[in-house]
Amino acid sequence: MTTIVIVGGTSGIGLELARRRAAAGDDVVITGRDGDRCGSVAAEVGARCRGLAVELSDPAAIAAALDGVGTVDHLVVAAIDRDQNTAADYDVGRAVRLVTLKLVGYTEVVHALLPRMASDGAVVLFGGLAKDRPYPGSTTVSTINGGVTGLVHTLAVELAPLRVNAVHPGIVGDSPFWQAKPPGVLDGYIARTPIGRLATMADVADAVDFLLRNRAMNGVNLNVDGGWLLT
């Protein structure tokens, strides 16, 4: 029986992955900021799923929050936050929070669960393509997603034989964030994507499954964008 922990599993791609893995018969632990929401989402996913409240922007509290987790085969750290922050109009507080959440918080999750990780297990972290294609206001987001690339490389070396990879989604057209955009906003992105459509949450979840399952994949930063970066 496989146990998977999905940090940031109460919505979006994390929830898509939780549903997929629970349906396949895995034991699933999902985390989010709000304990009540974690519990209700876990109940909706099914009997094989349970929820825990974990706040990545408070790294000192992560180990205690994960204390009840047993042996872990697979770990996915999918929690994200968004920030519009430019060098010209820089908000230090927002920047520090996001850097803490995604770099320090991600690493502390791995550190806290490492003694319970199976030696043949795997970790997948989430980055994003703002590392390669920045946009106005992406100063912090582009920086931390580039940091995820470096984090994958060092963890793959430090934690061997445990495997560590990352997915870097492009625009995920059916995600809650992009679905909330006004009609027509995605048309230009679709037109510039070689496959003629945007990546979906199912596409990204499938990529995560591949990185977890394939034992030759290690230290890989995998773009999931339908070729969008080529245009």
Side-chain angles (χ1 to χ4, degrees):
M1 185 63 62
T2 298
T3 297
I4 181 170
V5 175
I6 304 171
V7 177
T10 61
S11 65
I13 299 165
L15 179 55
E16 175 79 17
L17 182 63
R19 288 172 173 152
R20 174 185 293 236
R21 297 302 293 264
D26 293 345
D27 289 327
V28 180
V29 179
I30 60 173
T31 83
R33 294 190 182 100
D34 182 90
D36 290 339
R37 175 168 168 75
C38 286
S40 63
V41 172
E44 179 266 323
V45 171
R48 305 202 73 92
C49 184
R50 65 187 178 107
L52 295 173
V54 177
E55 176 52 74
L56 292 187
S57 65
D58 183 11
I62 289 174
L66 294 172
D67 190 55
V69 177
T71 301
V72 178
D73 299 290
H74 292 160
L75 169 62
V76 177
V77 191
I80 64 169
D81 210 344
R82 300 183 185 275
D83 178 43
Q84 284 286 118
N85 216 346
T86 67
D89 187 20
Y90 198 54
D91 188 311
V92 171
R94 291 206 316 267
V96 168
R97 184 183 186 283
L98 192 54
V99 170
T100 300
L101 184 153
K102 200 156 187 180
L103 296 183
V104 182
Y106 274 29
T107 308
E108 176 58 14
V109 167
V110 175
H111 168 250
L113 291 178
L114 186 58
R116 287 162 275 174
M117 290 287 300
S119 61
D120 61 349
V123 177
V124 173
L125 309 179
F126 267 60
L129 290 190
K131 67 183 177 64
D132 299 306
R133 183 170 283 180
Y135 52 86
S138 76
T139 296
T140 308
V141 174
S142 294
T143 299
I144 60 173
N145 286 338
V148 169
T149 298
L151 183 58
V152 163
H153 291 163
T154 188
L155 291 181
V157 173
E158 286 188 2
L159 305 184
L162 192 69
R163 294 183 299 105
V164 183
N165 299 292
V167 291
H168 295 270
I171 295 171
V172 182
D174 64 344
S175 66
F177 177 80
W178 287 103
Q179 281 292 293
K181 296 294 185 181
V185 167
L186 295 176
D187 292 350
Y189 297 112
I190 294 170
R192 293 198 301 271
T193 302
I195 61 172
R197 66 171 180 86
L198 298 174
T200 66
M201 293 193 294
D203 292 330
V204 181
D206 188 62
V208 173
D209 269 340
F210 164 69
L211 292 174
L212 292 173
R213 182 184 67 251
N214 190 301
R215 296 190 176 187
M217 301 304 291
N218 192 31
V220 170
N221 284 277
L222 180 63
N223 294 346
V224 185
D225 72 338
W228 177 66
L229 273 182
L230 299 175
T231 62

